[in-house]
Amino acid sequence: MADKKKIVMNWASACGGCDVSLLDIEEKIFSVLDIADILYWPVAMDFKRQDVLTLGPGSIDIGLFNGAVRTSEQLEDALMLRERCKVLIAYGACACFGGIPGLANVSDRAGIFEVAYHETPSTVNPEGVNPQTVCRVPEGEVTLPEFFDTVYALNQVVRVDYYLPGCPPTEERILDAVNIIAAYAHSGELPPPGTVIASQKALCDECSRVSTRTGARIARINRPHEIIADPGLCFLEQGVLCMGPFTRGGCGGTCISANMPCRGCFGPTEKMLDPGAEALSAFGSIVGPGGEDALTIPEMKAAVNSIKDPVGTFYRFTLPTAIINRTLKDGRNKVKK
Ligand code: SF4
Ligand code: SF4
């Protein structure tokens, strides 16, 4: 008889897709209930944070944490789960690497508040008020979580045991995680700490188009909407930037089979220090009609400038964990000692 495990699912800075993805396993969700009791999953059931706070250290077996850490409340949640969970899994690209919310690190809190509360055409804020953590009203004191200057991946604030990447994780990889929980319930066995629940190889290794990849130069960059891509040909051969060589496999090529290039949501393979920098370096050396020596400065600039939104292209899901993970501009974003 399996030792039923206690699991929790927490939603931090994320779109909600990860929370919902757990339901993508359809009726197999009932097999989870056979091996585990869900103690906390606010998006699906009526649980309160207080339900977790009353539990003692180490009293939860497995915590699934989705979303990046952007506010003081999300940091408290991460610390709360870390203290109470024997195993903490970063669930989805935002928890693993910062994800789409992590792109906010191209600005800082002041810059974000400036746009959101002062500059957008729909903003009506004649008194120029920014969100405050404490606000006194006739009825008493109202508090809000602090909005941090920086977005963090989960392992930048607490220790993480396992990583389940994807935006969101695919059904097959979620079932891998369920099988890990089942094995834990039956035998108490767990994979080595730090295991990424995905392929150990790059996405290209599982891509049906890889045999057409020659490594030829890209004369110009085509954005996906500018051409109708040949579904049998590697995107790079067609001048469309694809993050497949720099991204961990395991998604089954979801985007490729929809004739869209990979954007990197499974994050880097184990040996890759910084997928964005690797991609930037690799693409930089093949973009343009000839090598650097064959190009004039304006031609070189035109080739480089044909890459629109370089941060969003190379670091769409990984900016907070990148080597270069913040921008510095106009004296803002000063590194705090
Ligand atoms: S670069 Fe993209 S399209 Fe080409 S083989 Fe790799 S994953 Fe497939
Ligand atoms: S193809 Fe790339 S972006 Fe699309 S699901 Fe797979 S890893 Fe994520």
Side-chain angles (χ1 to χ4, degrees):
M1 172 82 179
D3 167 23
K4 246 184 160 190
K5 296 298 176 194
K6 300 183 180 78
I7 65 175
V8 299
M9 175 77 152
N10 185 74
W11 177 357
S13 182
C15 66
C18 282
D19 248 66
V20 174
S21 73
L22 206 49
L23 298 172
D24 284 348
I25 62 174
E26 298 171 346
E27 75 282 355
K28 297 180 202 88
I29 191 82
F30 294 115
S31 64
V32 176
L33 300 178
D34 288 340
I35 54 172
D37 290 324
I38 298 175
L39 298 192
Y40 184 64
W41 187 12
V43 81
M45 294 170 234
D46 184 19
F47 291 112
K48 303 286 181 258
R49 200 160 174 253
Q50 194 60 29
D51 298 335
V52 182
L53 282 171
T54 53
L55 300 171
S59 58
I60 301 166
D61 294 295
I62 295 173
L64 305 172
F65 189 103
N66 75 80
V69 175
R70 144 64 83 199
T71 69
S72 55
E73 184 180 53
Q74 290 159 358
L75 176 59
E76 282 166 20
D77 286 348
L79 293 168
M80 171 180 84
L81 291 196
R82 181 65 277 178
E83 186 184 20
R84 288 162 179 77
C85 296
K86 292 177 190 142
V87 174
L88 186 61
I89 301 178
Y91 186 105
C94 299
C96 290
F97 330 109
I100 297 286
L103 284 172
N105 284 358
V106 297
S107 185
D108 60 2
R109 177 173 46 203
I112 291 167
F113 280 8
E114 187 61 28
V115 172
Y117 296 101
H118 304 277
E119 292 179 359
T120 57
S122 58
T123 298
V124 179
N125 184 7
E127 292 169 5
V129 177
N130 279 341
Q132 305 294 315
T133 51
V134 179
C135 176
R136 285 177 223 298
V137 292
E139 293 79 12
E141 198 172 86
V142 181
T143 59
L144 277 177
E146 182 189 353
F147 186 94
F148 290 155
D149 211 38
T150 301
V151 177
Y152 301 98
L154 185 59
N155 70 0
Q156 292 175 314
V157 297
V158 293
R159 179 174 55 80
V160 169
D161 298 298
Y162 305 116
Y163 299 84
L164 181 54
C167 181
T170 56
E171 181 186 342
E172 291 74 18
R173 299 293 75 80
I174 295 170
L175 287 173
D176 285 348
V178 171
N179 288 336
I180 287 172
I181 296 170
Y184 186 32
H186 282 97
S187 64
E189 281 180 20
L190 283 167
T195 295
V196 180
I197 306 167
S199 170
Q200 302 312 310
K201 295 181 174 171
L203 178 66
C204 289
D205 283 335
E206 64 186 43
C207 179
S208 59
R209 308 185 190 200
V210 72
S211 61
T212 66
R213 198 175 134 199
T214 66
R217 298 198 69 82
I218 300 174
R220 71 177 294 270
I221 303 295
N222 296 304
R223 301 175 81 192
H225 66 276
E226 290 176 330
I227 63 165
I228 296 177
D230 179 339
L233 202 56
C234 172
F235 279 108
L236 293 176
E237 299 294 315
Q238 305 179 66
V240 177
L241 297 186
C242 179
M243 288 291 283
F246 316 99
T247 300
R248 190 183 283 271
C251 68
T254 312
C255 301
I256 309 287
S257 54
N259 212 15
M260 286 294 287
C262 173
R263 292 152 311 151
C265 80
F266 264 52
T269 53
E270 198 177 338
K271 295 202 174 88
M272 202 165 284
L273 200 54
D274 185 313
E278 299 252 4
L280 187 61
S281 165
F283 293 146
S285 64
I286 60 169
V287 170
E292 280 175 21
D293 297 342
L295 295 177
T296 62
I297 298 285
E299 284 171 334
M300 248 188 275
K301 278 190 177 164
V304 169
N305 289 338
S306 69
I307 300 176
K308 304 294 179 203
D309 184 18
V311 176
T313 299
F314 299 119
Y315 290 107
R316 186 180 301 251
F317 297 98
T318 57
L319 187 58
T321 50
I323 294 170
I324 298 172
N325 57 19
R326 291 304 311 259
T327 55
L328 296 174
K329 57 185 175 189
D330 303 338
R332 292 207 316 252
N333 292 338
K334 289 215 170 68
V335 175
K336 295 179 179 75
K337 295 241 172 89

